[in-house]
């Protein structure tokens, strides 16, 4: 089998999340300052070490208008406070650009937040399922399971990644463990009462 990286054929490893010929990027806990809602829990976790939270490897060989790229993410299992390990999250610079996510292994959620309305949704990201991320939605991927979550995201080559808006105001909602299950709660509500019942567990 060919292993060369090209825009017509590339090979990836569904276990490691690596694409042959592409350089993975590693995000450690220290890279995610400001992402987790509970700052005290974040500082306490970081005082214990700086674990890998996720890696992402992208095939971005085709760059023209109309071209597509893909990335493989691999998020470790873990939590900061009750909030599950997750990606930084971003909006696409080209706000209209949508993205398709495919679950490969593990169990997770896509946290979507429409930047125009502030509405949040959490959609299950599971093996053999696809999640459509519409344009104008900030998206963050969350590992709600006990083993690594591996997934693929396919996006327009011209989408661009805007992390600044998220860094400035973060998502309004969090996906947190509650009674052994993931629940979507407003960040404010979670910070007021981390163990509280919240508005309901997700299926
Ligand atoms: C690309 C995309 C994914 C993410 C990956 C890591 O548009 O959405 O490939 O890049 O899930 O998340 P971020 O980029 O938020 O660190
Ligand atoms: Mn994206």
């Amino acid at each position: 089998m060919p292993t060369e990286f090209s825009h017509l054929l590339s090979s990836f490893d569904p276990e490691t999340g690596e694409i042959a010929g592409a350089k993975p990027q590693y995000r450690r806990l220290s890279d995610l300052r400001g992402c987790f809602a509970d700052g005290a829990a974040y500082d306490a976790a970081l005082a214990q070490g700086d674990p890998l939270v996720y890696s992402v490897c992208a095939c971005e060989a085709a760059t023209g208008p109309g071209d597509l790229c893909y990335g493989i993410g691999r998020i470790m299992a873990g939590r900061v406070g009750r909030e599950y390990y997750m990606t930084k999250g971003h909006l696409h610079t080209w706000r209209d650009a949508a993205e398709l996510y495919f679950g490969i292994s593990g169990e997770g959620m896509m946290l979507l937040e429409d930047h125009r309305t502030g509405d949040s949704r959490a959609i299950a990201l599971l093996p053999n399922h696809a999640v459509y991320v519409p344009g104008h939605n900030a998206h963050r991927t969350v590992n709600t399971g006990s083993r690594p979550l591996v997934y693929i995201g396919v996006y327009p080559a011209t989408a661009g990644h805007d992390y600044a808006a998220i860094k400035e105001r973060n998502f309004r909602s969090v996906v947190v463990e509650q009674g052994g299950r993931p629940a979507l709660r407003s960040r404010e509500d979670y910070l007021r009462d981390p163990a509280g019942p919240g508005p309901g567990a997700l299926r």
Side-chain angles (χ1 to χ4, degrees):
M1 282 293 286
T3 53
E4 281 304 304
F5 181 74
S6 89
H7 70 292
L8 294 185
L9 180 66
S10 55
S11 67
F12 59 84
D13 184 327
E15 288 291 325
T16 64
E18 289 185 9
I19 300 173
K23 199 166 177 270
Q25 289 187 302
Y26 297 100
R27 304 287 184 223
R28 311 194 79 86
L29 192 58
S30 57
D31 298 314
L32 277 91
R33 180 165 292 283
C35 293
F36 293 98
D38 186 338
Y42 176 81
D43 288 340
L46 203 52
Q48 301 294 309
D50 191 13
L52 177 69
V53 176
Y54 67 97
S55 63
V56 57
C57 199
C59 175
E60 295 181 331
T63 57
D67 280 326
L68 294 173
C69 296
Y70 75 95
I72 305 187
R74 184 174 186 272
I75 308 177
M76 307 307 289
R79 282 185 354 224
V80 171
R82 288 180 178 254
E83 205 174 0
Y84 296 100
Y85 276 9
M86 62 195 185
T87 59
K88 286 184 177 185
H90 59 268
L91 277 159
H92 292 147
T93 311
W94 173 29
R95 296 286 194 256
D96 284 335
E99 179 161 0
L100 265 172
Y101 273 72
F102 300 91
I104 305 292
S105 57
E107 285 173 38
M109 296 270 170
M110 290 300 299
L111 176 58
L112 308 182
E113 188 176 292
D114 190 317
H115 74 97
R116 300 162 301 188
T117 61
D119 290 344
S120 299
R121 285 171 292 180
I123 318 283
L125 181 63
L126 298 167
N128 308 328
H129 286 71
V131 176
Y132 187 72
V133 177
H136 295 272
N137 275 260
H139 43 290
R140 169 173 275 170
T141 313
V142 183
N143 184 350
T144 59
S146 51
R147 62 191 182 111
L149 171 71
V150 183
Y151 59 91
I152 291 183
V154 183
Y155 49 97
T158 51
H161 295 92
D162 177 1
Y163 294 96
I166 301 302
K167 200 168 175 128
E168 204 173 295
R169 58 165 204 271
N170 210 344
F171 284 64
R172 290 190 191 179
S173 298
V174 291
V175 180
V176 292
E177 181 274 328
Q178 212 167 268
R181 298 174 62 194
L184 179 67
R185 297 180 64 186
S186 84
R187 186 154 43 101
E188 260 178 30
D189 178 53
Y190 167 63
L191 284 175
R192 207 179 307 120
D193 179 14
L202 294 161
R203 263 184 286 267

